[in-house]
Amino acid sequence: MDELILFVNGTKVSVKNPDPETTLLQFLRNDLHLKGTKLGCGEGGCGACTVMVTHFDHKENNYKHLSVNACLAPLCSMHGVAVTTVEGIGNVKNGLHPVQERLAKSHGSQCGFCTPGFVMSMYSLLCNDPQPSEAAIEEAFEGNLCRCTGYRPILEGFRTFTVTKSGTDSGYCLSECQGGQKDLLCVSGKNKGKGCSGICGKEREKLSGNLVNVEEFMPLSKDIHLPQPFKELEEVAAGCEKQSLVFKSERMTWYRPTSLDELITLKNKHPISKIVIGNTEIGVEIKFKNMHYPVIIAATHVAELNAVQYLDNGIRIGASVTLEKLEKVLKNAINSMEESKMRFFAAIVEMLRWFAGPQIRNVAAIGGNIVTASPISDLNPLFLSAGCMLTLASISGGRRTVNMDDGFFTGYRKTKIKPDEILVYIHLPFTAENEYFYGYKQSQRREDDIAIVNAGMRVLFEKDSIIIKDMTLSYGGMAPFTVMATKTTNELKGRKWDDELVTKASQLLAKELPLLPGTPGGMEAYRCSLTTSFFFKFYVSVRLLLEKKMASLFHQGDHLLSEKYQSASRTHHREPSRGVQVFEDAPQGQIMVDAVGRPLPHVSAVKQVTGEALFVDDMPVFKDEYYLSLVVSTKAHARIVNVDPSEALKMPGVVDYVSWKDIPGENKSGCIVSDEKVFAVDLVTSQGMIIGAILADNQSHAQRAAKAVKVEYEELKPIITIEDAIAANSYLMPPKTVKSGDVATALAKSDHVIEGQLHIGGQEHFYLETQATLAVPKDGGGEMEVFSSSQDTAYLQKAVADVLGMDCNKIMTRVKRLGGGFGGKQSRFVLLALPVAVAAHKHNRPVRCMLDRDEDMIMTGTRHPYLAKYKAGFTNEGKIEAVEIDFYQNSGYSRDLSVNVMERSLVHVDNAYRIPNIRVTGHLCLTNTPSNTAFRGFGQPQAMLTCEHIMTDIIQTVKLSPLMVRELNMLKEGDKTYYNQTIENWTGRRCWDDVIKQSDYKNRKLQVDEFNRNNRWLKRGISVIPVKYGVGFEVPVLNQSSALAHVFLDGSVLIAFGGVEMGQGLNTKMIQVASRALEIPTSKIYVSESNSSQSANASPTAGSVGSDLNGMAVMYACETLMSRLEPYIKSNPGGTWESWVNSAYMDMISLSAIGFYHTPDLGYDWESNSGLLFAYYSSGAACSEVEIDCLTGDHMVLRTDIVMDVGKSLNPAIDIGQIEGAFLQGYGLFTLEEIKYSPNGYLYSRGPGAYKIPSIGNIPIEFNVTLLKEAPNLKAVYSSKGIGEPPLSLSTSVFFAIKEAIGAARMEAGLEGRFSLDSPATAERIRMACVDEFTKQHPEPNPGSFTPWSVKF
């Protein structure tokens, strides 16, 4: 066997006998202990594991720097290259790299888990281009996901590297200047001296300061992008490139040949072996599909397979050429050759623009795309339509040429290529003068997503004619393999390229490419409609080109010639995003050491950008530590007949199988009611329910053995959906109702009464750090220390104590930070923490586990799906008289927090409106899905969307201005809600008026209407939505907190409290609070962690009250200290902080203090509908404008303006970051993120490949946030307000803007009036709601007439 040589952060590393199954990420983290590179998904879909790989290209005599997903890259593929991780470019001790510094100071890191990946993506870009364009920066991050920030601060920090430096120092004007007023000031700076209007169109009394001071940034030196001594790399690489390699382990052999003959020989010897280049497909199959391939052959170093050759009739591309190199080759050709030859190449380049992220394109090869034969391959439809030729080679058959035609793909993942053959080349042909070629793709998310349907379309005309000589249409996503519509094209040959062709082609395609109801992948009608919609786009695009050349051959007056219909040909394009943030500066005269109100960076930002911030799984491994892997149910509802771990226990490294029999205490858990089992005993009621666990010496052994545990089931009928539960009368508890007024009488007297229903899908938390726990027994097992990714240290402590049969005082729970939480770690962390604690207790050894992404998604539950059935009565003017709503909530298999979530829904269905007569009832459906749980907003988003859906129905019925109707119903100061709480210090109307003015809504609404009149296939919508959010826990006892403050003799201060830092900046704000109370700089104050021994019985960090509760407690603790120091300050006013502290110490005055706070007067009685439910309300408003593609369902958010009341902000940068992050998370909820279950309870969407959260391309192109000025809140610390949850629902403005755009499309099709649009408003729902001649060809089948592939969850 050979030795592996690589460089890591400048150090040469030799690995003897590397395991071919080890990934680069595992090696970096486990062997080299470089914990900065994170595991976020394991399938190359989130970018948290991004590193830079550098190799020396001797042919071009230069270095190649590539961003790569370390979670997929095999360690064995790193021979002879240099790997740079986030630790290698800068650190806290020795100094930060400019990339790290700018991200930290620009507030671009919140929880910090995704941060190293963004740093390395940007670093890799700068190594290749030290002055990239804004578009290049956004493209570089298409493979990186962030769940916290909303992406804007990340982009702003990194845009300072562009030539134009269009970051915070220059920015963009928010709207076109109107009127030419020269005395107006521009917030952004772009139009200074020119005058402008819109948000910056009014001269402000006081312009806000900058969130970031770019003048502080260190420059990027010319050579700083070369981080390591590469001279030795050149020498090593020269030898490595010519070296054939063999690496072996017990289960796998890895070959790396260096010649084609060697490769062919290996393939002949191992015909069922897998050939890899980037491992982007095989790596996922091994990790998530439990595939095992004994022989892997890496074809990366075979010269002939990496060759590119220009021929007279096209370009010959080697099969190992990466997609990144392919794109460069084709772009160079396009720029240097005549346009008519390049149309096929242009289609490939456009398709590659949407092909995965850069980290995948950098390593994935063109040959892999062909031979894996994915039915949704983005490139294969293009290759088939172009008739590409493949050159194959084998020992038995020599070389042969195969045409990629309608017979090339022979079945699912099968081709004409024989098992012993190697794909050597693919020939990409030039197009002819009279030949046209386009490619199309539709996916759930535009960037870095797999296709729903894609297509390659080619037409060849007779010379100087519009008569079709030849045509090929190829589709992916319409069969188990890429198909060609040969019957359709044969029929169309010889026809003219005119309107009749569209009608005929649509009929033929519908007949040739049908999808039966229940077809795998679902969305049958939508997918079928895309085949014809794509053809129509192709037709219009080609026709427009033909008209320029041969206009006389077309009938004049044809409606397709009008500019209105040309919108069908437009391709997706978005400008780089931009935005302005407006906030109040700290007042003049505020002492410098008082940090309250200043936009300080996150206190851990520097550690997060360097990868030095530790999360649970980053903690050093204990010497005698075990790793745990869970054995979970694969059935949604079944009796357990038998569990057999015997085979697993024989596997290498396995120590034990742990089950309910090993629990010394109680085998039950539950945050409100203990209605769940830690380990299932004889019944499973959901897929992902824990049955047992394997303990082993490392993660790989544990996970492999857990899959070998055999569980025998007796399946029972599952209840999956809300509709299933209603039909089965399956509920957690009797319904709960809140009512006010006389609903029946008011409905009877109303001018109009409408009824309807709305389905609101669930949402996966998708925190980047999955659930993780490390349990460490202490003192001979009499104590236990538990490190967990938990939002609630007290519940964690109590749950562990109960399951172990110990007292809470012997359980210490510790949380340093979370890699995102969003409510998903408020209670469901116990699913993992308790089995880990049981195993650690049983063996009296440390035990660790961090869930893989798919495990986390199938186990931990989501935001609750809702079905709302409503009736509303209102006047001719649109004034609401009465509303009646029944909410049906999918609670999952247990109670968890479902009742509390429903209670918040019941009291937020009015949003910002007064409803005089109302009855709202909540039904909690018991289903066989994971128990759904807390999620940012906690039931309010579902209620608010329902409210605004009703409001939209009212507006569509009375046909009046949306502004007028909403304002008519809006709450006013002194009004009472239907749960009898008086509206006090109400700023909702101020936010509403400000956002209308700043967004220039009225003028833009006219522009939207004009756009819609002039475009048939693109439509726009604009919507303004208010929000009211009650701040405080509905359970009064939770509205309390304590804090501990210590002052040490050197003057430094340590504060501790029960709140958990999870990216929301809680620790930063608490330091700022302490700085004001103590009148000392923040540099003297430190927060270590959340620890149950320092803050007992802490309430969960949730409900947007983290700063309110903990801030008051910290303030009280610090004020107590100051009261003790006050005599020393007065007696020695010229002294220093340190001298006062030491004087107090010498007088034996305690320098430790406890602060305690509880929110006063809270206590609502649900039976009598009386009492105070919330401490105060947070309010805001948003205006969003969108553009939809009526033919595909694609949409773009063109602009969003937000005005939010945060009181007197403790930290404007953090608050604005919370607003932007919440908004984008809500955008995902309402438009993008779709959970998909099979009818029998199998979760399809279990990773970023199938579940799409917003990416960097989803943020509004223009995103403006203003913090409402002069709005102090006297009911929270230093007049601030809670901010984490309220802004999320402002993203409903996007949902209703989309609905308005759909309405415009429907009106053009002759359909007026109310229509239903369920959430999320996915591309499928948007497209199918835009009814036209294409969708009418494919009606939805009747429910109940077939078994669907997926159910509405």
Side-chain angles (χ1 to χ4, degrees):
M1 289 185 286
D2 295 299
E3 183 180 27
L4 178 74
I5 299 174
L6 72 159
F7 293 81
V8 179
N9 296 332
T11 300
K12 186 177 180 180
V13 178
S14 297
V15 185
K16 294 184 178 179
N17 307 325
D19 187 342
E21 294 186 81
T22 299
T23 65
L24 175 60
L25 179 63
Q26 291 170 328
F27 177 71
L28 293 173
R29 290 181 61 83
N30 301 336
D31 292 65
L32 301 186
H33 310 295
L34 296 171
K35 304 290 188 174
T37 309
K38 309 299 184 188
L39 174 64
C41 68
E43 57 180 88
C46 73
C49 65
T50 302
V51 298
M52 186 179 79
V53 173
T54 301
H55 67 90
F56 186 75
D57 189 323
H58 286 84
K59 186 175 292 185
E60 297 184 17
N61 196 36
N62 61 16
Y63 293 103
K64 302 290 184 182
H65 308 285
L66 303 174
S67 58
V68 170
N69 291 124
C71 70
L72 289 179
L75 172 62
C76 292
S77 68
M78 294 294 113
H79 189 59
V81 305
V83 176
T84 305
T85 72
V86 67
E87 295 95 339
I89 68 172
N91 56 59
V92 174
K93 182 179 180 180
N94 298 317
L96 274 60
H97 186 276
V99 170
Q100 296 167 320
E101 181 211 31
R102 296 188 192 191
L103 187 60
K105 290 183 177 180
S106 299
H107 315 285
S109 178
Q110 288 188 16
C111 85
F113 199 84
C114 70
T115 301
F118 276 94
V119 168
M120 294 313 299
S121 287
M122 186 66 206
Y123 181 78
S124 301
L125 176 63
L126 291 176
C127 285
N128 293 304
D129 182 2
Q131 290 186 322
S133 67
E134 292 179 356
I137 289 175
E138 294 201 13
E139 185 176 341
F141 296 134
E142 287 174 358
N144 293 80
L145 296 177
C146 175
R147 195 56 151 166
C148 296
T149 64
Y151 298 104
R152 189 275 310 165
I154 298 173
L155 288 173
E156 283 207 354
F158 289 151
R159 278 187 183 136
T160 57
F161 290 111
T162 62
V163 178
T164 57
K165 290 188 84 172
S166 57
T168 51
D169 57 338
S170 55
Y172 295 83
C173 189
L174 291 181
S175 61
E176 291 300 319
C177 299
Q178 300 175 10
Q181 301 101 318
K182 295 182 180 180
D183 59 335
L184 303 182
L185 296 174
C186 177
V187 171
S188 65
K190 180 181 177 183
N191 287 322
K192 284 181 180 177
K194 301 178 183 178
C196 65
S197 59
I199 188 172
C200 47
K202 177 186 176 184
E203 184 172 6
R204 299 178 181 276
E205 294 178 4
K206 177 174 175 293
L207 293 176
S208 66
N210 291 322
L211 291 176
V212 181
N213 183 3
V214 298
E215 303 302 325
E216 295 180 353
F217 291 162
M218 72 174 84
L220 180 70
S221 67
K222 293 181 180 180
D223 61 350
I224 201 166
H225 62 281
L226 296 177
Q228 18 188 3
F230 282 142
K231 190 65 181 175
E232 188 178 1
L233 172 63
E234 293 182 33
E235 298 170 359
V236 171
C240 289
E241 285 185 4
K242 302 172 184 177
Q243 181 183 7
S244 298
L245 300 174
V246 181
F247 299 122
K248 291 184 178 181
S249 67
E250 292 180 7
R251 288 163 38 94
M252 182 183 289
T253 301
W254 172 283
Y255 294 97
R256 194 194 76 176
T258 54
S259 71
L260 183 58
D261 287 342
E262 185 183 1
L263 174 61
I264 293 172
T265 300
L266 283 170
K267 188 60 174 169
N268 183 68
K269 183 178 179 180
H270 307 284
I272 61 170
S273 62
K274 290 292 181 178
I275 295 180
V276 300
I277 305 298
N279 201 48
T280 56
E281 181 81 16
I282 300 302
V284 172
E285 290 181 351
I286 292 172
K287 176 71 175 175
F288 296 105
K289 297 181 181 180
N290 300 325
M291 304 297 289
H292 174 58
Y293 301 112
V295 177
I296 296 289
I297 304 174
T300 51
H301 284 61
V302 177
E304 198 167 352
L305 270 62
N306 286 287
V308 174
Q309 186 175 1
Y310 290 82
L311 306 173
D312 292 339
N313 60 347
I315 301 178
R316 192 169 69 181
I317 307 290
S320 294
V321 169
T322 64
L323 300 183
E324 176 265 343
K325 182 177 178 180
L326 172 67
E327 184 176 17
K328 287 182 178 178
V329 167
L330 297 184
K331 282 183 175 180
N332 289 336
I334 291 169
N335 291 333
S336 61
M337 298 186 183
E338 53 203 87
E339 182 275 335
S340 61
K341 288 185 175 182
M342 297 293 104
R343 291 166 187 161
F344 172 41
F345 295 175
I348 296 176
V349 168
E350 175 65 16
M351 190 65 78
L352 289 174
R353 174 72 180 81
W354 313 113
F355 189 112
Q359 296 95 322
I360 297 294
R361 293 196 297 270
N362 284 338
V363 296
I366 185 173
N369 204 267
I370 295 170
V371 300
T372 55
S374 169
I376 50 174
S377 161
D378 289 340
L379 295 180
N380 285 337
L382 305 181
F383 296 157
L384 258 64
S385 283
C388 294
M389 303 298 293
L390 305 180
T391 298
L392 308 175
S394 67
I395 287 181
S396 60
R399 292 204 176 197
R400 69 182 181 116
T401 302
V402 172
N403 184 18
M404 291 190 72
D405 55 19
D406 61 335
F408 177 74
F409 295 105
T410 59
Y412 179 69
R413 301 278 183 171
K414 296 179 180 179
T415 71
K416 282 184 175 179
I417 301 175
K418 298 174 183 177
D420 64 338
E421 285 185 313
I422 296 295
L423 173 59
V424 183
Y425 305 120
I426 176 172
H427 179 263
L428 306 180
F430 295 142
T431 46
E433 174 67 28
N434 54 339
E435 188 176 15
Y436 299 89
F437 202 109
Y438 284 88
Y440 300 94
K441 173 183 178 179
Q442 185 57 43
S443 51
Q444 189 87 331
R445 185 180 67 200
R446 171 57 62 177
E447 288 84 9
D448 189 14
D449 196 1
I450 58 176
I452 297 171
V453 174
N454 48 27
M457 299 186 173
R458 167 190 157 273
V459 63
L460 177 68
F461 293 100
E462 300 286 355
K463 187 176 181 181
D464 300 326
S465 166
I466 61 171
I467 302 297
I468 299 171
K469 181 178 182 181
D470 191 31
M471 180 189 286
T472 46
L473 304 175
S474 304
Y475 290 95
M478 295 302 296
F481 50 88
T482 306
V483 294
M484 300 186 74
T486 53
K487 293 180 181 178
T488 298
T489 53
N490 287 337
E491 284 278 337
L492 297 180
K493 289 176 185 177
R495 288 179 175 268
K496 288 185 177 181
W497 199 258
D498 58 16
D499 290 359
E500 293 181 3
L501 182 77
V502 176
T503 302
K504 184 64 176 177
S506 298
Q507 294 170 349
L508 292 169
L509 286 169
K511 186 176 180 181
E512 186 171 5
L513 299 175
L515 290 177
L516 296 175
T519 294
M523 301 183 284
E524 299 87 353
Y526 175 52
R527 288 154 68 188
C528 288
S529 72
L530 286 175
T531 63
T532 50
S533 294
F534 285 165
F535 181 81
F536 180 63
K537 283 176 167 285
F538 179 55
Y539 169 77
V540 173
S541 298
V542 173
R543 173 150 183 170
L544 289 172
L545 294 173
L546 291 174
E547 285 180 355
K548 292 180 181 179
K549 296 171 59 177
M550 299 173 285
S552 61
L553 298 179
F554 292 93
H555 297 295
Q556 296 302 314
D558 190 323
H559 74 278
L560 284 174
L561 295 174
S562 72
E563 188 174 335
K564 182 174 184 176
Y565 282 79
Q566 293 178 15
S567 55
S569 68
R570 294 182 198 169
T571 57
H572 182 89
H573 174 75
R574 59 170 282 145
E575 296 294 327
S577 58
R578 57 191 184 271
V580 168
Q581 304 81 45
V582 179
F583 61 95
E584 282 186 284
D585 272 339
Q588 289 185 353
Q590 179 173 319
I591 61 174
M592 288 306 298
V593 295
D594 179 358
V596 169
R598 305 190 193 279
L600 302 186
H602 193 292
V603 70
S604 294
V606 172
K607 291 181 180 179
Q608 289 167 186
V609 298
T610 60
E612 293 171 273
L614 293 182
F615 297 86
V616 174
D617 198 48
D618 298 333
M619 295 178 64
V621 175
F622 287 87
K623 182 179 179 181
D624 55 350
E625 181 180 299
Y626 289 145
Y627 198 93
L628 178 143
S629 185
L630 296 171
V631 177
V632 300
S633 171
T634 59
K635 307 297 180 184
H637 194 197
R639 292 188 181 91
I640 299 175
V641 177
N642 186 49
V643 179
D644 180 8
S646 58
E647 290 301 316
L649 292 171
K650 298 175 185 176
M651 297 176 72
V654 174
V655 174
D656 193 11
Y657 173 74
V658 179
S659 72
W660 63 272
K661 299 175 184 178
D662 299 302
I663 295 177
E666 299 177 331
N667 183 26
K668 61 182 182 180
S669 69
C671 56
I672 305 295
V673 176
S674 296
D675 59 348
E676 298 184 53
K677 301 288 187 184
V678 179
F679 293 108
V681 179
D682 51 15
L683 181 72
V684 291
T685 52
S686 170
Q687 184 189 59
M689 185 170 281
I690 299 170
I691 296 172
I694 287 289
L695 273 186
D697 57 352
N698 63 44
Q699 182 181 19
S700 297
H701 286 153
Q703 290 182 336
R704 196 174 297 147
K707 294 171 183 176
V709 175
K710 298 175 183 177
V711 182
E712 185 181 347
Y713 303 96
E714 178 189 334
E715 289 198 60
L716 305 172
K717 184 178 180 181
I719 296 171
I720 305 302
T721 67
I722 290 172
E723 290 79 3
D724 291 344
I726 294 172
N729 196 32
S730 178
Y731 298 102
L732 270 174
M733 57 186 292
K736 194 164 193 172
T737 299
V738 176
K739 60 183 178 180
S740 179
D742 187 343
V743 174
T745 301
L747 286 173
K749 292 182 177 180
S750 296
D751 296 331
H752 304 274
V753 176
I754 58 172
E755 295 185 50
Q757 71 175 39
L758 172 68
H759 189 280
I760 306 163
Q763 184 181 27
E764 165 62 34
H765 299 85
F766 214 96
Y767 28 68
L768 266 292
E769 177 205 27
T770 59
Q771 301 279 0
T773 299
L774 171 61
V776 185
K778 297 220 167 183
D779 195 28
E783 301 175 13
M784 183 167 289
E785 194 171 29
V786 183
F787 302 87
S788 173
S789 54
S790 165
Q791 294 176 227
D792 190 342
T793 55
Y795 174 41
L796 172 62
Q797 180 188 46
K798 180 68 165 60
V800 172
D802 287 346
V803 79
L804 298 184
M806 297 169 64
D807 293 332
C808 286
N809 60 6
K810 296 177 181 176
I811 308 296
M812 183 192 297
T813 54
R814 300 174 62 180
V815 181
K816 184 72 173 178
R817 60 175 58 83
L818 304 184
F822 318 115
K825 297 173 181 176
Q826 183 174 340
S827 63
R828 305 312 288 167
F829 60 84
V830 297
L831 292 174
L832 179 63
L834 298 185
V836 169
V838 169
H841 184 271
K842 179 181 179 181
H843 288 268
N844 196 28
R845 292 175 72 164
V847 175
R848 176 192 308 250
C849 180
M850 179 178 180
L851 296 180
D852 279 347
R853 177 63 57 185
D854 59 328
E855 294 174 315
D856 195 290
M857 293 182 75
I858 66 171
M859 288 173 53
T860 57
T862 68
R863 187 189 296 277
H864 294 80
Y866 271 51
L867 173 64
K869 297 183 178 182
Y870 60 84
K871 183 185 293 186
F874 48 94
T875 67
N876 289 323
E877 296 75 29
K879 186 172 179 61
I880 299 174
E881 298 290 352
V883 171
E884 186 174 43
I885 300 173
D886 279 278
F887 281 128
Y888 295 86
Q889 176 203 83
N890 191 328
S891 306
Y893 68 75
S894 70
R895 174 167 170 163
D896 191 65
L897 294 165
S898 296
V899 175
N900 309 79
V901 170
M902 177 58 78
E903 287 176 347
R904 182 165 281 268
S905 296
L906 294 179
V907 294
H908 276 83
V909 80
D910 57 343
N911 192 22
Y913 310 111
R914 183 177 180 273
I915 304 177
N917 302 283
I918 186 170
R919 180 169 57 248
V920 55
T921 302
H923 308 263
L924 287 82
C925 298
L926 184 65
T927 64
N928 296 121
T929 62
S931 193
N932 293 315
T933 190
F935 201 137
R936 196 179 201 166
F938 206 75
Q940 184 267 353
Q942 297 95 321
M944 178 178 163
L945 186 72
T946 302
C947 174
E948 294 297 343
H949 197 273
I950 293 171
M951 187 63 71
T952 302
D953 280 356
I954 293 171
I955 291 165
Q956 291 175 337
T957 301
V958 299
K959 298 181 179 179
L960 295 173
S961 159
L963 292 189
M964 183 187 303
V965 174
R966 285 190 165 91
E967 289 172 0
L968 179 66
N969 290 283
M970 204 163 282
L971 285 165
K972 300 185 294 293
E973 180 75 14
D975 281 347
K976 274 199 170 185
T977 66
Y978 60 94
Y979 45 92
N980 290 315
Q981 181 157 337
T982 302
I983 300 295
E984 298 175 336
N985 300 313
W986 178 239
T987 59
R989 186 57 189 260
R990 282 183 59 198
C991 294
W992 174 266
D993 291 340
D994 281 6
V995 85
I996 290 171
K997 186 175 184 179
Q998 293 180 10
S999 66
D1000 196 23
Y1001 169 82
K1002 294 178 181 178
N1003 285 328
R1004 287 171 55 212
K1005 173 62 175 168
L1006 296 175
Q1007 295 168 8
V1008 165
D1009 293 341
E1010 179 67 15
F1011 179 91
N1012 290 340
R1013 282 191 291 272
N1014 294 330
N1015 291 274
R1016 172 62 185 93
W1017 300 109
L1018 295 177
K1019 296 293 182 184
R1020 289 182 179 177
I1022 187 170
S1023 177
V1024 188
I1025 300 292
V1027 67
K1028 170 178 67 67
Y1029 191 95
V1031 177
F1033 288 114
E1034 291 89 346
V1035 180
V1037 72
L1038 295 179
N1039 293 286
Q1040 62 173 301
S1041 179
S1042 64
L1044 180 64
H1046 296 302
V1047 184
F1048 299 95
L1049 294 181
D1050 63 352
S1052 63
V1053 176
L1054 176 69
I1055 56 176
F1057 44 88
V1060 173
E1061 175 61 57
M1062 49 189 167
Q1064 84 282 41
L1066 179 62
N1067 289 357
T1068 308
K1069 286 185 173 182
M1070 295 305 96
I1071 289 173
Q1072 290 176 277
V1073 167
S1075 80
R1076 168 171 287 187
L1078 298 175
E1079 299 181 14
I1080 61 174
T1082 58
S1083 58
K1084 291 183 177 296
I1085 307 167
Y1086 185 68
V1087 179
S1088 178
E1089 64 180 4
S1090 299
N1091 187 319
S1092 61
S1093 67
Q1094 296 175 343
S1095 183
N1097 309 314
S1099 294
T1101 307
S1104 300
V1105 296
S1107 294
D1108 289 4
L1109 298 179
N1110 295 290
M1112 292 296 285
V1114 167
M1115 183 185 75
Y1116 285 161
C1118 293
E1119 287 178 348
T1120 298
L1121 288 171
M1122 284 299 285
S1123 69
R1124 296 172 186 169
L1125 293 173
E1126 187 175 0
Y1128 303 95
I1129 297 173
K1130 286 183 177 180
S1131 65
N1132 181 19
T1136 64
W1137 169 255
E1138 291 80 4
S1139 68
W1140 300 328
V1141 167
N1142 277 271
S1143 295
Y1145 174 76
M1146 296 302 293
D1147 286 346
M1148 291 178 287
I1149 299 297
S1150 174
L1151 295 176
S1152 297
I1154 294 175
F1156 178 79
Y1157 174 76
H1158 72 90
T1159 308
D1161 305 323
L1162 294 184
Y1164 176 76
D1165 185 278
W1166 291 90
E1167 295 299 322
S1168 63
N1169 193 18
S1170 63
L1172 191 65
L1173 188 52
F1174 303 115
Y1176 60 87
Y1177 292 103
S1178 182
S1179 60
C1183 175
S1184 291
E1185 181 181 351
V1186 305
E1187 181 177 290
I1188 67 169
D1189 185 329
C1190 302
L1191 290 167
T1192 65
D1194 250 353
H1195 79 271
M1196 276 195 301
V1197 185
L1198 303 178
R1199 175 173 169 178
T1200 291
D1201 294 85
I1202 293 174
V1203 176
M1204 196 77 205
D1205 174 17
V1206 301
K1208 288 284 187 180
S1209 175
L1210 295 175
N1211 186 317
I1214 286 176
D1215 286 346
I1216 288 171
Q1218 286 292 289
I1219 291 167
E1220 293 167 336
F1223 179 88
L1224 202 65
Q1225 198 168 69
Y1227 166 84
L1229 166 64
F1230 295 125
T1231 68
L1232 192 64
E1233 300 176 41
E1234 191 171 21
I1235 297 169
K1236 292 192 174 183
Y1237 273 96
S1238 73
N1240 65 2
Y1242 179 86
L1243 180 66
Y1244 293 123
S1245 47
R1246 52 178 62 197
Y1251 185 84
K1252 297 299 170 182
I1253 70 170
S1255 68
I1256 209 156
N1258 292 116
I1259 64 176
I1261 295 175
E1262 191 172 322
F1263 197 5
N1264 310 310
V1265 176
T1266 297
L1267 303 186
L1268 188 70
K1269 294 187 176 184
E1270 299 174 359
N1273 173 38
L1274 302 180
K1275 296 186 177 182
V1277 60
Y1278 295 136
S1279 299
S1280 62
K1281 279 191 174 183
I1283 192 58
E1285 294 171 291
L1288 183 140
S1289 294
L1290 291 175
S1291 53
T1292 56
S1293 59
V1294 174
F1295 181 91
F1296 290 106
I1298 288 172
K1299 192 170 184 184
E1300 182 181 284
I1302 295 170
R1306 291 170 65 89
M1307 188 174 295
E1308 190 133 7
L1311 300 171
E1312 294 191 40
R1314 295 166 51 209
F1315 65 95
S1316 180
L1317 179 66
D1318 287 334
S1319 173
T1322 58
E1324 175 193 12
R1325 289 190 173 127
I1326 294 171
R1327 173 64 186 107
M1328 300 312 288
C1330 295
V1331 180
D1332 55 38
E1333 56 267 40
F1334 305 118
T1335 61
K1336 289 177 181 178
Q1337 289 182 305
H1338 309 287
E1340 296 282 357
N1342 294 324
S1345 63
F1346 66 102
T1347 300
W1349 178 77
S1350 67
V1351 293
K1352 185 181 284 188
F1353 183 72

